[in-house]
Amino acid sequence: GTTLGGAAAEKGRYFGTATDPHMFSNSAYMTVLNREFNQLTNENGMKWDATEPQRNQFNWARGDQLVAHAQARGMRVRGHALLWHAQQPGWAQNLSGSDLRSAAINHVTQVASHWRGKIYAWDVVNEAFADGGSGGRRDSNLQRTGNDWIEAAFRAADAADPGAKLCYNDYNTDGINAKSTGIYNMVRDFRARGVPIDCVGFQSHLGTSVPGDYQANLQRFADLGVEVQITELDVQQGSNQANIFRTVTRACMAISRCTGITVWGVRDCDSWRTGQNPLLFDCNGNKKPAYDAVLAELNAG
Ligand code: G3I
């Protein structure tokens, strides 16, 4: 393959990017996006604050625009994200207890229903585990509604869009550590009890190194029977950037249940990591050495 998406497709996988419909009028940007990627994630426009700015009043505009573009070009869509402690609308931030629980489950049901049949995979729950050594849940208003909030969200998403793959997504899970092990134990428990979870997303916002057990960590989740996906990949620019992108791509290609990779933006200047130049294209849309490394690994795998 001569493009990221094309090369991935030859291996039965996808290669995607985060984007936002406000970029769709930028022709230099869209030339790269349409050429290289066959999966899109809405960087902000499908989050709770964007889709339900007032309780039970939904705004589908940005998500609909992204889905329409993807469908017209045969690209898959990753839905991001149904429930998250961040980017909640103000009204939800002010709720607690059973009122918040029912608002959250209603949100999952309404959003997943609106795009039923159009989403390849949903990040049903995002970033619910704590950093550090505890291996436990992150404290949040959602967690304080009861430890079963995550499984309740997966069951509601399954009822609303039974065809979508339902994923748990998190960061700092790039090797075998307390946080990734806490998530592993939850996924194993969900599979044992029949809670509908199909996939785990590894954001992979990386600095200037990647853990040596990156692939082993993906593999232990795949061995639970779930798909694994790299969902928000970006790597701080340094002498090792291309090698780290290569290592991540190689790890995914080595695991049959690793179904795709998504980078968190197209060009360095589109990135949320200001000044770190963490992506595959420079600000002019030129391919960087990291691009060549990724493409070579996709074709080798
Ligand atoms: O669009 C408004 C603009 O109208 C306003 O004037 C401006 C002033 O603050 O804010 C703009 O919104 C910002 C938005 O990005 C679009 O640029 C928000 O403030 C800002 O918070 C938001 O940041 C996003 C961040 O999630 C929020 O937590 C980033 O773009 C987005 O890349 C980032 O993505 C997250 C994933 O969802 C989950 N994993 C981590 C990842 C990186 O933080």
Side-chain angles (χ1 to χ4, degrees):
T2 58
T3 65
L4 300 169
E10 286 173 7
K11 303 292 162 57
R13 292 174 170 86
Y14 65 83
F15 202 101
T17 183
T19 185
D20 193 276
H22 82 261
M23 298 299 294
F24 289 3
S25 57
N26 181 326
S27 64
Y29 174 95
M30 291 308 279
T31 297
V32 180
L33 182 136
N34 288 331
R35 186 187 68 219
E36 296 289 341
F37 300 102
N38 56 9
Q39 179 270 322
L40 302 179
T41 304
N42 203 325
E43 186 170 358
N44 289 297
M46 290 185 172
K47 293 172 178 175
W48 198 351
D49 60 348
T51 51
E52 195 180 1
Q54 302 300 327
R55 191 169 187 174
N56 254 316
Q57 289 178 20
F58 293 88
N59 182 349
W60 310 117
R62 289 157 78 192
D64 281 351
Q65 243 188 298
L66 182 135
V67 168
H69 186 81
Q71 287 199 323
R73 296 190 162 259
M75 299 166 165
R76 303 188 207 202
V77 177
R78 186 179 194 89
H80 176 79
L82 291 171
L83 292 181
W84 185 22
H85 66 274
Q87 279 179 289
Q88 295 181 2
W91 64 265
Q93 293 176 38
N94 292 330
L95 297 183
S96 63
S98 58
D99 199 15
L100 174 60
R101 173 69 74 96
S102 61
I105 296 302
N106 180 61
H107 181 75
V108 170
T109 300
Q110 297 302 319
V111 177
S113 297
H114 177 75
W115 285 300
R116 178 184 0 241
K118 298 176 176 171
I119 304 294
Y120 162 69
W122 262 114
D123 290 327
V124 178
V125 169
N126 192 43
E127 301 177 9
F129 276 71
D131 289 310
S134 75
R137 299 285 181 84
R138 171 194 298 277
D139 180 50
S140 72
N141 61 345
L142 290 165
Q143 181 62 27
R144 290 191 291 272
T145 71
N147 203 52
D148 63 342
W149 73 277
I150 297 182
E151 62 188 272
F154 274 85
R155 292 189 200 280
D158 186 47
D161 188 358
K165 294 183 186 299
L166 304 180
C167 309
Y168 178 81
N169 190 54
D170 216 325
Y171 67 92
N172 282 351
T173 52
D174 311 305
I176 296 176
N177 58 38
K179 185 175 182 179
S180 62
T181 298
I183 295 164
Y184 175 86
N185 289 335
M186 178 187 76
V187 174
R188 189 176 54 184
D189 170 59
F190 280 13
R191 300 288 290 179
R193 291 192 294 113
V195 178
I197 185 168
D198 304 300
C199 34
V200 177
F202 298 83
Q203 294 183 13
S204 303
H205 293 294
L206 295 169
T208 53
S209 65
V210 58
D213 53 7
Y214 187 90
Q215 184 178 323
N217 187 48
L218 296 183
Q219 186 68 60
R220 70 173 174 155
F221 281 86
D223 290 343
L224 294 174
V226 290
E227 287 187 10
V228 296
Q229 292 124 5
I230 315 305
T231 53
E232 305 184 13
L233 179 61
D234 51 18
V235 180
Q236 187 179 339
Q237 184 155 287
S239 56
N240 227 6
Q241 186 180 46
N243 281 329
I244 294 170
F245 270 107
R246 185 194 325 277
T247 299
V248 170
T249 306
R250 184 177 293 173
C252 182
M253 300 305 282
I255 295 172
S256 55
R257 286 200 177 99
C258 187
T259 49
I261 300 175
T262 307
V263 288
W264 206 241
V266 177
R267 304 166 305 182
D268 283 337
C269 294
D270 305 318
S271 172
W272 69 294
R273 295 172 73 170
T274 310
Q276 293 190 16
N277 297 321
L279 295 171
L280 299 176
F281 295 88
D282 70 19
C283 296
N284 295 315
N286 298 311
K287 298 168 182 174
K288 295 165 59 181
Y291 173 96
D292 298 325
V294 168
L295 185 63
E297 279 307 318
L298 293 172
N299 282 320

